[in-house]
Amino acid sequence: FGQGFRAETKDLITMSTASAPVEVLQQQLTVCRNEIANLRAKLRAMSAHFNKQCNELLQVLGSQRGTERCGTKDAAKPQDDESANRRSFEFQPIGYIQTAFRFKNGTPRQGCICPNSQAVLTLDKQVFTCPEHSLEGLDKFSHVWLLSVFDRNARREGSSGAFAYRSKVQPPRLGGQTWGVLASRSPHRPCPVGLTLARLESVQGSSLHLSGVDLVDGTPILDVKPYLPQYDSPQQEEPLGNEPEVQWAPWISESSDLAVDFTPKARAELSRFHGLDSHT
């Protein structure tokens, strides 16, 4: 019995000695975890306080800069808005006019100079599904405006690669004197759009039969508008100053009658176009 008791007591002492360090380590580990949790909480609080101070500082700096640059921003804003509103546009012709003038040379500078010149404009079916419907009611008018494109202009390309335009031109009737391009009827313009007042002879289906045109054969037509004299022709009334309300450059009224000689070939072409005998 004595030997068994001593062996059991020895085993209990050994187990107690071996288990003591594990409990100590567990206690120390718990303390470390608590300290780490406290440090993390302090770091979060310090970070939040730091971010708050930074935001307040940025707000103060931003308000000062806004006060100093208020005039500059207000002046630049309209320019930015204007630049944003600048856009380019693409237009599709509604048709291509057929005339007797195959080349620019020989085409009348105004339709009224050659009132008997005939032309036909057929609307493109790719623009209108039923083009004849778009012309309904146009036969009630005697004249129409034709908006065309000067598609045969030779534009100069500048050093930057962009097309360059002359701000002044030399109208033939000024004998070499220069004139502002926007104060002239020159076809060489930044936006090469032409305006022709033509007589409407008839409307047949999707085609307009016209006279008094000044367009080269195959010229693209952008639009057709009816001529309204009460809106398109200003009243030439004389106000109190006894000066006409409608004014124009003096050289416009100067006589410019020129003698035109037709070659036999040209006479034959004109006669064939009008369906007449070349000897008449």
Side-chain angles (χ1 to χ4, degrees):
F1 174 79
Q3 293 179 354
F5 177 78
R6 286 195 297 270
E8 185 177 356
T9 303
K10 184 178 180 181
D11 293 336
L12 291 174
I13 294 173
T14 302
M15 292 177 60
S16 176
T17 304
S19 61
V22 175
E23 294 177 355
V24 173
L25 292 175
Q26 288 179 348
Q27 292 177 358
Q28 293 177 352
L29 182 61
T30 301
V31 173
C32 291
R33 288 176 176 175
N34 293 334
E35 291 295 333
I36 291 174
N38 293 333
L39 290 174
R40 288 177 176 175
K42 291 181 179 180
L43 286 175
R44 286 194 295 268
M46 293 175 62
S47 177
H49 183 67
F50 176 76
N51 292 333
K52 181 180 179 181
Q53 289 183 338
C54 289
N55 292 332
E56 293 177 353
L57 181 60
L58 290 175
Q59 290 178 0
V60 173
L61 293 176
S63 61
Q64 291 180 352
R65 291 177 180 176
T67 303
E68 294 175 356
R69 300 182 181 180
C70 181
T72 305
K73 288 184 178 180
D74 293 340
K77 185 176 181 180
Q79 184 177 0
D80 295 339
D81 294 342
E82 183 179 357
S83 300
N85 292 331
R86 291 179 179 176
R87 297 176 296 171
S88 59
F89 300 90
E90 294 184 2
F91 297 98
Q92 180 180 359
I94 63 174
Y96 297 84
I97 197 166
Q98 301 175 7
T99 70
F101 310 111
R102 298 177 57 189
F103 306 100
K104 292 188 296 182
N105 295 335
T107 302
R109 64 177 183 271
Q110 296 294 331
C112 59
I113 298 178
C114 190
N116 294 326
S117 60
Q118 304 293 314
V120 177
L121 173 62
T122 301
L123 300 185
D124 193 346
K125 292 184 178 180
Q126 295 182 356
V127 179
F128 296 104
T129 305
C130 298
E132 59 274 9
H133 291 176
S134 65
L135 301 176
E136 185 176 350
L138 190 61
D139 57 349
K140 306 300 181 182
F141 299 89
S142 62
H143 293 76
V144 293
W145 292 107
L146 302 177
L147 273 70
S148 59
V149 180
F150 297 117
D151 60 326
R152 306 190 188 187
N153 286 351
R155 298 189 295 178
R156 298 182 300 107
E157 190 171 347
S159 58
S160 61
F163 287 110
Y165 306 96
R166 296 184 183 275
S167 58
K168 287 192 174 184
V169 294
Q170 294 179 339
R173 299 172 65 181
L174 284 182
Q177 181 181 352
T178 58
W179 198 262
V181 63
L182 298 183
S184 72
R185 295 293 186 92
S186 172
H188 303 282
R189 322 174 71 84
C191 295
V193 177
L195 182 65
T196 298
L197 180 61
R199 183 175 184 84
L200 179 61
E201 300 292 344
S202 63
V203 178
Q204 299 181 13
S206 60
S207 298
L208 301 179
H209 292 260
L210 309 163
S211 63
V213 296
D214 55 356
L215 300 170
V216 182
D217 184 48
T219 297
I221 303 299
L222 298 178
D223 197 9
V224 176
K225 300 178 184 293
Y227 172 77
L228 305 177
Q230 62 268 36
Y231 302 130
D232 298 340
S233 178
Q235 302 297 324
Q236 299 189 31
E237 299 178 356
E238 294 186 359
L240 297 178
N242 294 328
E243 294 182 359
E245 182 181 357
V246 181
Q247 299 181 4
W248 52 86
W251 57 270
I252 300 294
S253 303
E254 296 178 359
S255 177
S256 60
D257 295 337
L258 300 175
V260 180
D261 295 329
F262 294 93
T263 63
K265 182 179 179 180
R267 290 180 178 274
E269 292 288 341
L270 290 173
S271 299
R272 185 162 49 253
F273 178 77
H274 291 289
L276 302 176
D277 188 358
S278 60
H279 298 287
T280 58

